[in-house]
Amino acid sequence: MYIVCLDLEGVLVPEIWIAFSQASGIPELKRTTRDEPDYEKLMNWRLGILREHGLGIREIQETIAGIDPLAGAKEFLDELRAMTQVVIISDTFTQFAKPLMEKLGWPTIFCNSLEIGKDGMITGYRMRTADSKLSTVKALQSIGFKTIASGDSYNDLDMIKASQAGFLFRSTEKIKADNPQIPAFETFEELMGGIRQAMDGEI
C-alpha cells in the first residue's frame, strides 16, 4: 500500500516567509529552507528578526489570510487523494497552516507548533519530533506503507531519499544539480505522472 508524502510550502502553497517578507518590507525574511539547510538556525534567526521589529503572530496570520494555493495545487491534491493516501509533512506550524488547509480541502498535515506569549509575540517553537520528515516516512514504512515523497528544499531530501520513490518539485538549480539522481519536475502534471509510474512499479 502506498502513501504519498508531500511538502507544503513551495509545493502546494507559496512560501509563507517570503510572502511575509514582502508584506512587512523586511527582505531578510525571504531566506527559507531552500537557502539554509539548518532549520534550527533558520528559525532562531527568523524569531530574532521578528523580535527586533516587534512583529508577532497577528501580523503573520494577516499575511497568511491572503495566501492562496499555487495554481492547480488543489486540483492536483484532489486527484491524488482520490487515487491513494496522502499526508502533508511540513516544518511549518499549526498556527500558520490551518487557513491554508481549509483552502486545500482539509488534507492531513503533520507539522510543528509555535510558542506564543500573551502579547502575541512568538517566543519559540516546538518540533513535533526530531528530523520530522524522515522520522515520519520511516514510521509509515514501519507500519506497512510504501512511501512516495516530494518536496523542493534541503529539509525534504532525507524523506525523498528514504522513500521507495521520490521527486524534487520546483526546486532550486543548486539542489537539483547536487542531487542529479532524484527526478525533478516543474508541473503538477509531471509530478502526477511520476507518482503514477512509481505506484505502477515502473520506477
Side-chain angles (χ1 to χ4, degrees):
M1 182 180 292
Y2 283 98
I3 187 166
V4 176
C5 303
L6 298 174
D7 180 34
L8 178 64
E9 295 177 65
V11 175
L12 298 171
V13 303
E15 293 279 354
I16 291 169
W17 287 99
I18 290 177
F20 186 61
S21 169
Q22 295 167 343
S24 63
I26 304 173
E28 295 91 339
L29 288 175
K30 288 183 179 178
R31 191 168 181 80
T32 71
T33 50
R34 285 169 163 247
D35 312 298
E36 174 55 66
D38 188 328
Y39 187 75
E40 182 178 358
K41 177 180 177 182
L42 177 64
M43 272 306 301
N44 288 330
W45 181 74
R46 286 167 169 168
L47 295 184
I49 292 175
L50 293 180
R51 285 192 293 270
E52 179 184 340
H53 291 270
L55 298 170
I57 187 65
R58 179 180 60 83
E59 290 83 2
I60 299 175
Q61 287 179 330
E62 286 174 354
T63 296
I64 293 170
I67 295 176
D68 290 320
L70 295 171
K74 186 176 185 302
E75 294 78 8
F76 163 78
L77 195 55
D78 288 345
E79 182 181 353
L80 187 58
R81 291 168 73 192
M83 187 171 68
T84 190
Q85 297 296 310
V86 180
V87 60
I88 297 169
I89 308 175
S90 174
D91 279 337
T92 193
F93 307 95
T94 54
Q95 295 91 339
F96 291 0
K98 187 174 180 180
L100 298 171
M101 293 304 99
E102 182 177 6
K103 292 179 180 180
L104 287 169
W106 297 111
T108 298
I109 182 170
F110 297 158
C111 59
N112 307 305
S113 60
L114 292 169
E115 297 171 344
I116 301 171
K118 292 182 179 179
D119 59 357
M121 297 300 292
I122 301 171
T123 59
Y125 61 96
R126 292 191 300 274
M127 300 297 285
R128 181 173 51 83
T129 185
D131 299 318
S132 61
K133 297 189 179 189
L134 177 60
S135 296
T136 302
V137 160
K138 287 184 174 180
L140 291 168
Q141 292 170 348
S142 76
I143 57 172
F145 284 102
K146 294 180 179 179
T147 60
I148 300 170
S150 183
D152 68 323
S153 299
Y154 283 107
N155 64 339
D156 299 311
L157 291 174
D158 285 344
M159 76 168 180
I160 289 172
K161 292 175 181 178
S163 291
Q164 276 73 24
F167 311 104
L168 289 168
F169 186 69
R170 297 182 180 178
S171 190
T172 66
E173 292 304 317
K174 176 168 176 50
I175 292 175
K176 288 189 286 188
D178 288 346
N179 299 274
Q181 78 281 12
I182 302 176
F185 301 133
E186 298 297 321
T187 70
F188 288 118
E189 182 179 6
E190 290 173 343
L191 181 56
M192 181 63 78
I195 292 170
R196 286 185 183 276
Q197 279 189 303
M199 291 181 65
D200 290 340
E202 298 177 21
I203 295 179

